Amino acid sequence: MFAREDIDRLMQSNGDVLSTDRDKIGGIGTFYTDDESGEPTWLTVKMGLFGASESFAPLEGASVDGDDILIPYTKDQVKDAPRVAGDEHMEESEEERLYSHYGFGEGTSYLGTRRAGEDGGTRDTSELDAGAQPGTDEAMTRSEERLNVGTESRPAGRARLRKYVTTENVTTTVPVEREEVRLEREPITDANRDAAMSDPDLTEDEVEVTLHEEQPVVEKETVPVERVRLDKDTVTEDVTVSDDVRKENIEAEGTDETPR
């Protein structure tokens, strides 16, 4: 048998829903309880890739086996069950369609069901509207939302190094040498008389001198001048985050206490 007390544990166990032949149908989803009795009557079964879709299955005849639930239905029956809204409350017409699919005959009572809360109870507020306190004591729990702000890293841009070639004109000065002709005259002396008298008298002659000069020679070579790399620095700045949060307020009637 399936008991109401099993809801809390099973919702935290990540167990499976199995057929009576112990074939896996899907994962345990959400429980729905009867509006009047509060007893668990329906279960959603997570099916498909990553449990993306959920189908309703009745808990009539279901039993608990460790962290798993055994139901007397096949995977095809659950997979082909009519799709309903699956929100906080299942309407009577939706429940009737599901009961019909699973072969429940006439005489079945359709009172509507409600999603079970994390504590195994229902989310029905009809008792509060009537002035009754939930649970067995005479206290209410007041809850409020709080902001839990964290950070996550995400790409904000890309930087890259790109090398390209430019051309510029470079002017430099280099000294060059050249030879020039200079006429030198020397008198006839005893030292050079023999050389001077060796030439025939009154002849025509010609002496040629080769002149040299330096010319600038330009050569180019590629040499490394520096290395450039990309590096990252982490900077910290304050960012203001704001959002709306809700909180419950409790007021007491017949007392002088200020509402909180």
Side-chain angles (χ1 to χ4, degrees):
M1 296 295 294
F2 188 87
R4 177 191 183 97
E5 292 75 16
D6 293 319
I7 292 180
D8 280 345
R9 180 178 62 81
L10 291 171
M11 289 183 69
Q12 302 296 328
S13 67
N14 294 322
D16 295 321
V17 180
L18 310 176
S19 68
T20 51
D21 295 332
R22 304 197 67 82
D23 291 331
K24 180 178 176 179
I25 300 175
I28 296 176
T30 306
F31 293 92
Y32 281 71
T33 59
D34 186 271
D35 280 350
E36 291 191 354
S37 67
E39 294 300 319
T41 54
W42 292 95
L43 164 73
T44 62
V45 184
K46 298 179 181 179
M47 307 182 72
L49 185 63
F50 305 118
S53 63
E54 295 188 52
S55 295
F56 278 84
L59 288 171
E60 181 73 25
S63 61
V64 177
D65 184 4
D67 292 335
D68 301 326
I69 300 176
L70 276 65
I71 59 175
Y73 305 102
T74 66
K75 184 174 184 177
D76 288 339
Q77 283 180 288
V78 177
K79 180 180 179 182
D80 296 336
R83 293 291 184 263
V84 298
D87 50 14
E88 296 295 325
H89 188 269
M90 186 194 302
E91 300 299 332
E92 295 180 15
S93 60
E94 295 175 324
E95 192 175 15
E96 183 177 0
R97 290 168 51 208
L98 288 169
Y99 272 127
S100 176
H101 169 76
Y102 285 103
F104 287 76
E106 296 183 0
T108 304
S109 176
Y110 308 113
L111 299 176
T113 57
R114 187 172 300 275
R115 184 196 297 264
E118 295 181 356
D119 58 354
T122 66
R123 299 173 186 258
D124 195 353
T125 58
S126 58
E127 292 183 351
L128 295 178
D129 295 338
Q133 299 288 340
T136 58
D137 57 12
E138 296 181 354
M140 289 183 179
T141 299
R142 187 178 69 86
S143 303
E144 65 183 21
E145 294 179 334
R146 295 183 178 177
L147 288 182
N148 295 320
V149 182
T151 61
E152 65 175 356
S153 178
R154 62 176 59 181
R158 293 180 63 87
R160 63 169 58 91
L161 286 177
R162 184 171 63 89
K163 185 168 66 173
Y164 59 95
V165 177
T166 59
T167 301
E168 63 180 4
N169 184 268
V170 177
T171 301
T172 185
T173 301
V174 58
V176 294
E177 294 181 352
R178 71 172 184 273
E179 296 176 339
E180 295 182 346
V181 174
R182 184 177 68 253
L183 185 62
E184 293 186 354
R185 297 175 184 271
E186 59 182 23
I188 302 299
T189 63
D190 292 338
N192 60 14
R193 184 176 300 277
D194 292 339
M197 298 298 293
S198 62
D199 291 334
D201 296 336
L202 301 176
T203 60
E204 293 182 357
D205 196 4
E206 182 176 287
V207 177
E208 185 175 281
V209 177
T210 301
L211 302 178
H212 297 83
E213 68 177 6
E214 293 180 336
Q215 296 288 337
V217 177
V218 178
E219 293 182 352
K220 299 178 184 178
E221 64 174 336
T222 301
V223 295
V225 292
E226 66 176 349
R227 291 184 59 80
V228 180
R229 65 168 55 89
L230 288 177
D231 200 358
K232 295 188 297 184
D233 293 324
T234 300
V235 296
T236 301
E237 60 180 3
D238 293 330
V239 177
T240 302
V241 178
S242 123
D243 202 351
D244 295 329
V245 295
R246 300 177 301 168
K247 66 178 181 180
E248 297 175 339
N249 297 282
I250 298 176
E251 61 180 14
E253 296 181 358
T255 68
D256 296 333
E257 184 177 349
T258 302
R260 298 183 61 188

